[in-house]
């Protein structure tokens, strides 16, 4: 089955700096890669996702890059703010053609991001 | 947007008793529901995939007789933790993917504490 490795496990940055979290996956059939932010005791919140037909996607301060050949994808957060502090998870799944059916999500181990004011 | 309602949000039960957790899709039909377990400071681990009208598919190492899953309708899936023990204490969360949405929708999670 799919295996997703995520690094680093903890990341501490100063407010305004950039943060990068990296993930690798094992199943070349995976084609949907979401990133989630989870606060303590809460549900994961989707912050950005990318499909395998795209190499990069950006949404304001957040961007994701995907290298299908190397089977890795990364989350980039620029101009970090204290409210960005949380646990971030990458995940991978297989979506059928047409995007009408998605398989199970396999999560990375998570990264605790701390943004110091 | 698509919403999955999960109840209860927290529950404390005695060792040996059973606990039922419900997940309802409020504005879409969830033919498939994914059940995850998350221990403190760990990732979400898939326990099983429930499919409406058929038996659930359990991940390796998950006891199907202990974690009973029922998906009797297109809007309701339940997870029953039977004969709960302290080691079952965890955060349980369900997820579904609405056909019209771009990603997965998660329930709010259930914090189970077995004493």
């Amino acid at each position: 089955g799919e295996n997703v490795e995520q690094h680093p496990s903890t990341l501490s940055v100063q407010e305004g700096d950039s943060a990068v979290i990296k993930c690798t996956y094992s199943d070349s059939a995976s084609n949907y890669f979401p990133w989630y932010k989870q606060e303590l005791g809460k549900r994961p919140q989707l912050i950005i996702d990318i499909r395998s037909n795209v190499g990069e996607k950006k949404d304001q301060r957040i961007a994701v890059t995907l290298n299908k050949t190397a089977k890795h994808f990364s989350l980039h957060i620029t101009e970090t703010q204290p409210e960005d502090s949380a646990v971030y998870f990458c995940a991978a799944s297989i979506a059928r053609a047409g995007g009408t059916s998605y398989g199970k999500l396999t999560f990375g181990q998570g990264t605790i991001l701390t943004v110091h004011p | 947007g698509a919403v999955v309602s999960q109840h209860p949000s927290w529950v404390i039960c005695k060792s040996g008793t059973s606990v039922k957790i419900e997940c309802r899709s409020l504005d879409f039909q969830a033919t498939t529901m994914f059940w995850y377990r998350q221990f403190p400071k760990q990732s979400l681990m898939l326990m099983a995939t429930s499919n409406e009208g058929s038996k659930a598919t359990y991940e390796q190492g998950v006891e199907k007789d202990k974690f009973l899953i029922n998906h009797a309708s297109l809007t309701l899936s339940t997870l029953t933790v039977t004969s709960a023990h302290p080691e079952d204490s965890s955060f349980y969360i369900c997820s579904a993917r609405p056909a019209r949405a771009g990603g997965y929708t998660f329930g709010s999670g259930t914090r189970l504490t077995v004493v």
Side-chain angles (χ1 to χ4, degrees):
Chain A
E2 173 68 283
N3 182 51
V4 178
E5 297 287 333
Q6 181 173 346
H7 299 279
S9 56
T10 60
L11 180 59
S12 184
V13 299
Q14 289 296 126
E15 184 177 3
D17 288 350
S18 295
V20 180
I21 303 171
K22 299 182 178 182
C23 288
T24 61
Y25 61 99
S26 61
D27 190 344
S28 56
S30 290
N31 55 11
Y32 176 66
F33 307 93
W35 284 90
Y36 295 93
K37 177 183 180 181
Q38 187 182 31
E39 296 177 346
L40 190 62
K42 304 289 187 181
R43 77 186 84 193
Q45 296 282 354
L46 178 69
I47 55 172
I48 197 167
D49 58 10
I50 192 167
R51 289 166 176 76
S52 59
N53 59 347
V54 177
E56 184 175 357
K57 183 177 179 180
K58 188 174 181 180
D59 182 5
Q60 299 183 336
R61 297 187 297 111
I62 296 173
V64 57
T65 58
L66 171 65
N67 184 324
K68 285 174 54 181
T69 303
K71 289 190 281 191
H72 66 69
F73 55 113
S74 301
L75 175 71
H76 304 254
I77 305 175
T78 59
E79 300 172 28
T80 54
Q81 302 165 1
E83 49 266 39
D84 293 330
S85 297
V87 181
Y88 289 80
F89 291 99
C90 61
S93 74
I94 300 172
R96 292 181 186 168
T100 59
S101 177
Y102 281 66
K104 60 186 181 182
L105 275 172
T106 300
F107 286 85
Q109 295 85 348
T111 297
I112 302 172
L113 174 64
T114 304
V115 181
H116 299 283
Chain B
V3 176
V4 172
S5 176
Q6 182 170 349
H7 294 280
S9 56
W10 61 270
V11 58
I12 300 173
C13 72
K14 291 185 177 181
S15 187
T17 61
S18 297
V19 173
K20 179 185 284 189
I21 301 169
E22 292 189 350
C23 278
R24 294 181 184 272
S25 54
L26 299 186
D27 52 358
F28 67 99
Q29 293 182 334
T31 55
T32 301
M33 191 75 76
F34 302 98
W35 287 93
Y36 294 87
R37 177 169 55 184
Q38 185 177 32
F39 291 109
K41 299 185 179 181
Q42 293 188 23
S43 186
L44 289 83
M45 297 300 295
L46 182 68
M47 299 176 66
T49 303
S50 75
N51 298 290
E52 186 269 334
S54 63
K55 290 183 178 180
T57 302
Y58 291 82
E59 296 298 301
Q60 191 172 11
V62 178
E63 300 175 58
K64 62 180 181 181
D65 294 330
K66 178 172 182 63
F67 299 99
L68 301 179
I69 290 175
N70 185 285
H71 196 150
S73 77
L74 288 171
T75 59
L76 175 65
S77 178
T78 62
L79 168 66
T80 300
V81 183
T82 63
S83 186
H85 291 285
E87 56 265 31
D88 298 323
S89 298
S90 187
F91 188 60
Y92 293 85
I93 190 164
C94 59
S95 175
R97 185 192 174 274
R100 65 180 185 275
Y104 297 80
T105 296
F106 287 86
S108 54
T110 298
R111 172 72 59 193
L112 170 64
T113 302
V114 184
V115 298

